[in-house]
Amino acid sequence: MVMQKLVLALLLSVPLVVVAADNPELRSIKEADQADRRSMPASDQLRELMQRDGERRVRVLEILKEGRLATAWDYFNAALVLQHGESAEDIRLAHALATIAITLDPEHKRAKWLVAAS
């Protein structure tokens, strides 16, 4: 009984730290976005690229609305996809999300670059 109380006291004295994992769907969406840009698409492929970009932006916005961004990488991945948007609102949101990524991880070099680029 004494041992149980000791273990319980130790458990209660340790602060609980919740470490969120990166969202794998966002990572996958960002990787597809970047894969589309590794080689310059031919002019006849631009329409298809823009369609895929639009589909990715819609899904990223859904994930954002669902509250499923938790880590600096989540915010960066979402920002990078939205940066390829067609409107000023997309770019502003990309900038805001990249800024949040830096707030969560001040050493996130890619997010710093994206803040400057957006």
Side-chain angles (χ1 to χ4, degrees):
M1 183 69 158
V2 173
M3 185 61 113
Q4 290 173 338
K5 287 182 181 180
L6 179 60
V7 170
L8 182 59
L10 286 172
L11 287 174
L12 292 174
S13 67
V14 175
L16 294 178
V17 177
V18 177
V19 178
D22 296 335
N23 184 314
E25 183 180 5
L26 270 174
R27 186 178 331 118
S28 176
I29 293 169
K30 185 265 302 184
E31 288 170 0
D33 176 82
Q34 294 300 288
D36 268 350
R37 286 161 172 77
R38 285 201 180 91
S39 61
M40 182 57 75
S43 59
D44 62 332
Q45 297 172 324
L46 287 177
R47 187 167 295 184
E48 294 171 9
L49 173 61
M50 291 174 67
Q51 181 178 348
R52 289 191 301 274
D53 281 348
E55 292 167 358
R56 287 188 284 259
R57 279 193 311 277
V58 166
R59 185 61 191 135
V60 166
L61 291 172
E62 289 172 351
I63 293 169
L64 179 61
K65 288 177 186 172
E66 293 166 2
R68 294 181 42 219
L69 279 70
T71 69
W73 278 105
D74 290 346
Y75 283 93
F76 170 78
N77 290 338
L80 192 60
V81 171
L82 292 174
Q83 182 210 8
H84 297 129
E86 297 175 348
S87 69
E89 290 80 20
D90 291 334
I91 305 305
R92 277 194 288 270
L93 183 54
H95 181 83
L97 294 174
T99 301
I100 293 170
I102 293 172
T103 302
L104 294 172
D105 179 3
E107 302 304 316
H108 199 300
K109 292 179 183 178
R110 295 183 69 193
K112 288 180 181 182
W113 170 86
L114 188 52
V115 165
S118 61

